[in-house]
């Protein structure tokens, strides 16, 4: 896990795809979808999206249900994490 808020935000936003996913889930907080469909929504390569979805799930920004191609990703239910992401997005 990341040791500071700055480190957390740097890790969460270290790629364009992660930033796209953060904005997508921030704007669609009740969305639940597979990596394949999320790649379509943000118009990015599936392999790259899968890698960054896993990274965001490790950071607890996204929740992951299941494994493999059928895994479903959704926005965090943690109020603290959601508030931190909201503060970042509104900057």
């Amino acid at each position: 896990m990341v040791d500071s808020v700055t480190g957390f935000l740097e890790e969460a936003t270290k790629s364009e795809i992660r930033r796209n996913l953060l904005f997508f889930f921030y704007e669609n907080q009740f969305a639940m979808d597979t990596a394949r469909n999320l790649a379509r929504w943000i118009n990015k390569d599936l392999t790259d999206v899968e890698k960054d979805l896993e990274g965001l799930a490790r950071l607890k920004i996204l929740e992951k249900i299941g494994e493999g191609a059928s895994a479903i990703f959704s926005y965090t239910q943690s109020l603290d994490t959601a508030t931190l992401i909201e503060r970042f997005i509104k900057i």
Side-chain angles (χ1 to χ4, degrees), residues 9-27 42 44 52-53 56 61 85 88-89:
L9 290 173
E10 286 174 358
E11 184 67 20
T13 61
K14 73 179 187 178
S15 74
E16 178 186 355
I17 291 174
R18 284 190 183 197
R19 290 187 298 275
N20 289 344
L21 289 165
L22 279 176
F23 283 108
F24 174 84
F25 278 106
Y26 177 76
E27 291 178 356
I42 66 169
K44 299 293 180 187
D52 282 337
L53 284 167
L56 292 174
I61 293 170
I85 297 301
F88 166 75
I89 286 176

Side-chain angles (χ1 to χ4, degrees), residues 32-38 46 50 53-54 63-74:
M32 299 176 73
D33 219 332
T34 62
R36 179 174 303 281
N37 288 335
L38 290 163
L46 173 59
E50 287 173 327
L53 284 167
E54 293 291 341
E63 295 182 2
K64 178 182 175 187
I65 302 168
E67 294 296 326
S70 62
I72 301 292
F73 293 88
S74 62

